[in-house]
Amino acid sequence: MSSKNWRTATRLLHDAPNRTEFGETSEAIFLTSGFVYDSAEQAAATFTGDVEHFQYSRFGNPTVDTLQERLALLEGADACIATSTGMGAVSSALLAHVKTGERVVASRAIFGSCYWIVTSLLPRYGIETELVDGDDYAAWEKALSRPTAAVLIESPSNPMLDVLDIRRIADLAHKAGALLMVDNVFASPLGQHPLKLGADVVLYSCTKHIDGQGRVLGGAVLGSETWIKETLQPFTRNTGNALSPFNAWILLKGLETLQLRTKAMAANAATVADALAALPGVVQVRYPGRADHPQAEIARQQMNDGGSLVAFEVENGQAGAFACLNAFDLVAISNNLGDARTLATHPATTTHMRVSAEERAKLGITAGVIRLSVGLEDAADLIADLTRGVEAARQA
Ligand SMILES: *Cc1c(COP(=O)(O)O)cnc(C)c1O
């Protein structure tokens, strides 16, 4: 389907073509729940698998298929299943793969709902779970010295942008018999290639950079043909974790400009991170593309750029952070990320408010931390707004 020689920018537009007899330029949206058969024989043969024919959009849909195929080719994965949301991707991947009595190990710094699945949901089904500090490799070795079914990590992590050594964790996971699942949302499909670093499954919230324009929710799971078809697909098909064809079409439109957007956003984020670091009143800046990031060397080796997220801490704790957010004129207060518009959130009182104070302290989420998702505005306008915010924090 794809010319192997095409570069990424071309593939984002042209991989997995699905043009109908009408010759439309853009992909068609197949907004249909079901499909009809020419004969009873054809219907029967479809169900036995002797004939390839769409059956029902919970099982498969031409627009969703195009998205899945294009994402798989982009990631270098055998297969992809698109899901209703990013959490649909994470929950289905874990629940389809693990059984009662088995064990899951995850890095401590993971997205709030992923944290809930690992610490609250899986134990309810008799699955043992353990959290490990991402950069403590002695702890990884210890946790993975016992047979384990799955390892879930996020790198860079939310919200403090810790960078985990994916290859090193993949080796330890494989020795324990586990599949390594990487939530690659913060890096985006263009910023980091976990499969090349030894991961087995890659998870996306397509809501973030892939749509990246604040319109739809969506998710994707990518992995080997066998695992996707035999383990994940029966689960998603029968539990109903399906992406709407309309949302799939929006995400295909998002892919067309993904490289342009992520490159411009990462360049803006790098400029903004440096400007923040130079502002009086900024206690710390975390950006994987900066030399002062605690895992700068790993970031340089496994990421193509520093990404579009920056975490920074202002003076005066929560009062300072709130004053900063409230002083913004351009930057919007929102817990979404990867958007064309720059968005800022206060993790301690929003995304991580359900996490205990003790756990927040372990994650480095102090009361003065703000997570910034840098968008496509002119960097100078962003820096002016951030300077106003940081000044307000100092006065708080
Ligand atoms: C947003 C996000 C998710 C969940 O995605 P939804 O589309 O909101 O369900 C999972 N992991 C990370 C890192 C995210 O940023």
Short mmCIF file of all heavy atoms in Angstrom, two decimals, residues 84-88 90 110-111 113-114 154 156 158 183-186 204-208 217-219 336-337 371, ligand 1:
data_model
loop_
_atom_site.label_atom_id
_atom_site.label_comp_id
_atom_site.label_asym_id
_atom_site.label_seq_id
_atom_site.Cartn_x
_atom_site.Cartn_y
_atom_site.Cartn_z
N SER A 84 -12.00 4.69 20.88
CA SER A 84 -12.84 5.87 21.05
C SER A 84 -12.09 7.04 21.68
O SER A 84 -12.37 8.20 21.40
CB SER A 84 -14.06 5.51 21.91
OG SER A 84 -13.61 4.98 23.14
N THR A 85 -11.15 6.75 22.58
CA THR A 85 -10.36 7.79 23.26
C THR A 85 -8.98 7.22 23.54
O THR A 85 -8.75 6.00 23.38
CB THR A 85 -10.99 8.17 24.63
OG1 THR A 85 -10.94 7.02 25.48
CG2 THR A 85 -12.42 8.66 24.52
N GLY A 86 -8.11 8.06 24.03
CA GLY A 86 -6.79 7.59 24.44
C GLY A 86 -6.91 6.62 25.62
O GLY A 86 -6.20 5.61 25.67
N MET A 87 -7.81 6.91 26.55
CA MET A 87 -7.98 5.99 27.68
C MET A 87 -8.58 4.67 27.21
O MET A 87 -8.32 3.63 27.80
CB MET A 87 -8.84 6.62 28.79
CG MET A 87 -8.10 7.65 29.62
SD MET A 87 -6.34 7.26 29.95
CE MET A 87 -6.45 5.67 30.77
N GLY A 88 -9.38 4.72 26.15
CA GLY A 88 -9.89 3.48 25.56
C GLY A 88 -8.71 2.63 25.07
O GLY A 88 -8.73 1.40 25.19
N VAL A 90 -5.52 2.71 26.26
CA VAL A 90 -4.74 2.20 27.40
C VAL A 90 -5.51 1.08 28.11
O VAL A 90 -4.95 0.02 28.40
CB VAL A 90 -4.41 3.35 28.39
CG1 VAL A 90 -3.69 2.80 29.62
CG2 VAL A 90 -3.60 4.44 27.70
N ILE A 110 2.53 8.66 35.52
CA ILE A 110 1.71 8.39 34.34
C ILE A 110 0.47 9.26 34.40
O ILE A 110 0.10 9.76 35.47
CB ILE A 110 1.33 6.89 34.20
CG1 ILE A 110 0.87 6.30 35.54
CG2 ILE A 110 2.48 6.09 33.61
CD1 ILE A 110 0.41 4.85 35.46
N PHE A 111 -0.17 9.44 33.26
CA PHE A 111 -1.39 10.22 33.12
C PHE A 111 -2.41 9.81 34.20
O PHE A 111 -2.52 8.62 34.52
CB PHE A 111 -1.93 9.95 31.72
CG PHE A 111 -3.08 10.80 31.31
CD1 PHE A 111 -2.89 12.13 30.99
CD2 PHE A 111 -4.36 10.27 31.24
CE1 PHE A 111 -3.95 12.92 30.59
CE2 PHE A 111 -5.44 11.05 30.84
CZ PHE A 111 -5.23 12.38 30.52
N SER A 113 -5.63 9.17 34.55
CA SER A 113 -6.55 8.05 34.37
C SER A 113 -5.79 6.72 34.23
O SER A 113 -6.30 5.68 34.64
CB SER A 113 -7.45 8.27 33.15
OG SER A 113 -8.31 9.36 33.40
N CYS A 114 -4.58 6.77 33.68
CA CYS A 114 -3.74 5.56 33.60
C CYS A 114 -3.38 5.12 35.03
O CYS A 114 -3.38 3.94 35.35
CB CYS A 114 -2.47 5.81 32.80
SG CYS A 114 -2.76 6.31 31.10
N GLU A 154 5.36 5.90 30.52
CA GLU A 154 5.08 7.12 29.76
C GLU A 154 6.38 7.92 29.74
O GLU A 154 6.98 8.15 30.79
CB GLU A 154 3.99 7.88 30.53
CG GLU A 154 3.39 9.04 29.82
CD GLU A 154 2.33 9.70 30.71
OE1 GLU A 154 1.46 9.01 31.27
OE2 GLU A 154 2.41 10.93 30.85
N PRO A 156 8.17 11.35 27.40
CA PRO A 156 8.27 12.08 28.66
C PRO A 156 6.96 11.95 29.46
O PRO A 156 5.91 11.76 28.88
CB PRO A 156 8.48 13.54 28.22
CG PRO A 156 8.92 13.47 26.79
CD PRO A 156 8.31 12.24 26.23
N ASN A 158 3.96 12.83 32.37
CA ASN A 158 3.05 13.91 32.74
C ASN A 158 3.08 14.10 34.25
O ASN A 158 2.87 13.12 34.95
CB ASN A 158 1.63 13.52 32.28
CG ASN A 158 0.60 14.55 32.61
OD1 ASN A 158 0.86 15.73 32.54
ND2 ASN A 158 -0.58 14.10 33.00
N ASP A 183 3.13 4.65 26.47
CA ASP A 183 2.21 5.75 26.19
C ASP A 183 3.07 6.87 25.61
O ASP A 183 3.83 7.52 26.32
CB ASP A 183 1.53 6.16 27.51
CG ASP A 183 0.54 7.29 27.34
OD1 ASP A 183 0.68 8.07 26.37
OD2 ASP A 183 -0.36 7.42 28.18
N ASN A 184 2.97 7.05 24.29
CA ASN A 184 3.89 7.94 23.56
C ASN A 184 3.26 9.30 23.26
O ASN A 184 3.70 10.01 22.37
CB ASN A 184 4.31 7.25 22.25
CG ASN A 184 5.60 7.76 21.69
OD1 ASN A 184 6.55 8.03 22.44
ND2 ASN A 184 5.68 7.90 20.37
N VAL A 185 2.22 9.64 24.02
CA VAL A 185 1.45 10.85 23.72
C VAL A 185 2.30 12.12 23.80
O VAL A 185 2.25 12.96 22.91
CB VAL A 185 0.24 10.96 24.67
CG1 VAL A 185 -0.41 12.32 24.56
CG2 VAL A 185 -0.77 9.88 24.35
N PHE A 186 3.09 12.24 24.86
CA PHE A 186 3.82 13.50 25.04
C PHE A 186 4.85 13.72 23.94
O PHE A 186 5.12 14.86 23.57
CB PHE A 186 4.48 13.56 26.44
CG PHE A 186 3.55 14.11 27.49
CD1 PHE A 186 2.22 13.73 27.54
CD2 PHE A 186 4.00 15.05 28.41
CE1 PHE A 186 1.35 14.25 28.49
CE2 PHE A 186 3.13 15.58 29.37
CZ PHE A 186 1.81 15.18 29.41
N TYR A 204 -1.61 5.74 21.93
CA TYR A 204 -1.81 7.18 21.70
C TYR A 204 -3.19 7.64 22.14
O TYR A 204 -4.18 6.93 21.94
CB TYR A 204 -1.69 7.53 20.20
CG TYR A 204 -0.28 7.48 19.71
CD1 TYR A 204 0.14 6.45 18.89
CD2 TYR A 204 0.64 8.44 20.11
CE1 TYR A 204 1.46 6.38 18.48
CE2 TYR A 204 1.96 8.38 19.70
CZ TYR A 204 2.36 7.36 18.89
OH TYR A 204 3.65 7.29 18.49
N SER A 205 -3.21 8.84 22.68
CA SER A 205 -4.42 9.62 22.70
C SER A 205 -4.33 10.47 21.44
O SER A 205 -3.51 11.39 21.36
CB SER A 205 -4.46 10.53 23.93
OG SER A 205 -5.45 11.52 23.73
N CYS A 206 -5.15 10.15 20.43
CA CYS A 206 -5.12 10.93 19.17
C CYS A 206 -5.74 12.31 19.37
O CYS A 206 -5.61 13.19 18.52
CB CYS A 206 -5.86 10.18 18.07
SG CYS A 206 -5.19 8.55 17.70
N THR A 207 -6.43 12.45 20.51
CA THR A 207 -6.99 13.74 20.91
C THR A 207 -5.90 14.82 20.94
O THR A 207 -6.17 15.98 20.68
CB THR A 207 -7.54 13.60 22.36
OG1 THR A 207 -8.25 12.36 22.47
CG2 THR A 207 -8.42 14.76 22.73
N LYS A 208 -4.71 14.41 21.30
CA LYS A 208 -3.62 15.36 21.54
C LYS A 208 -3.02 15.81 20.19
O LYS A 208 -3.74 16.32 19.38
CB LYS A 208 -2.60 14.74 22.49
CG LYS A 208 -3.26 14.14 23.75
CD LYS A 208 -3.99 15.19 24.59
CE LYS A 208 -4.91 14.61 25.66
NZ LYS A 208 -4.30 13.69 26.59
N LEU A 217 -12.05 13.45 20.28
CA LEU A 217 -11.31 12.49 21.09
C LEU A 217 -11.05 11.25 20.23
O LEU A 217 -11.86 10.90 19.37
CB LEU A 217 -12.14 12.05 22.30
CG LEU A 217 -12.61 13.11 23.29
CD1 LEU A 217 -13.43 12.45 24.40
CD2 LEU A 217 -11.47 13.89 23.89
N GLY A 218 -9.94 10.60 20.48
CA GLY A 218 -9.65 9.36 19.77
C GLY A 218 -8.42 8.72 20.37
O GLY A 218 -7.67 9.37 21.10
N GLY A 219 -8.22 7.44 20.07
CA GLY A 219 -7.03 6.76 20.58
C GLY A 219 -6.55 5.73 19.59
O GLY A 219 -7.24 5.41 18.61
N ASN A 336 -6.12 20.24 28.61
CA ASN A 336 -5.79 19.52 27.37
C ASN A 336 -4.35 19.83 26.98
O ASN A 336 -3.72 20.70 27.59
CB ASN A 336 -6.76 19.93 26.27
CG ASN A 336 -6.75 18.95 25.09
OD1 ASN A 336 -6.11 17.89 25.13
ND2 ASN A 336 -7.44 19.31 24.03
N LEU A 337 -3.83 19.13 25.99
CA LEU A 337 -2.45 19.39 25.57
C LEU A 337 -2.27 18.96 24.12
O LEU A 337 -3.12 18.31 23.54
CB LEU A 337 -1.47 18.65 26.49
CG LEU A 337 -1.57 17.12 26.56
CD1 LEU A 337 -0.59 16.44 25.64
CD2 LEU A 337 -1.33 16.65 27.98
N ARG A 371 2.04 23.26 34.12
CA ARG A 371 2.37 22.52 32.90
C ARG A 371 1.89 23.34 31.70
O ARG A 371 0.72 23.75 31.65
CB ARG A 371 1.69 21.16 32.90
CG ARG A 371 2.10 20.26 31.72
CD ARG A 371 1.19 19.07 31.57
NE ARG A 371 -0.11 19.45 31.02
CZ ARG A 371 -1.17 18.67 31.02
NH1 ARG A 371 -1.14 17.48 31.56
NH2 ARG A 371 -2.31 19.08 30.48
C1 LIG B 1 -4.68 12.59 27.23
C2 LIG B 1 -3.83 11.46 27.57
C3 LIG B 1 -4.36 10.18 27.71
C4 LIG B 1 -5.82 9.89 27.57
O1 LIG B 1 -6.35 10.26 26.34
P1 LIG B 1 -7.88 10.67 26.11
O2 LIG B 1 -7.99 10.85 24.64
O3 LIG B 1 -8.10 11.92 26.90
O4 LIG B 1 -8.71 9.57 26.64
C5 LIG B 1 -3.48 9.15 28.04
N1 LIG B 1 -2.17 9.38 28.22
C6 LIG B 1 -1.63 10.61 28.09
C7 LIG B 1 -0.18 10.79 28.31
C8 LIG B 1 -2.43 11.70 27.77
O5 LIG B 1 -1.90 12.90 27.65
#
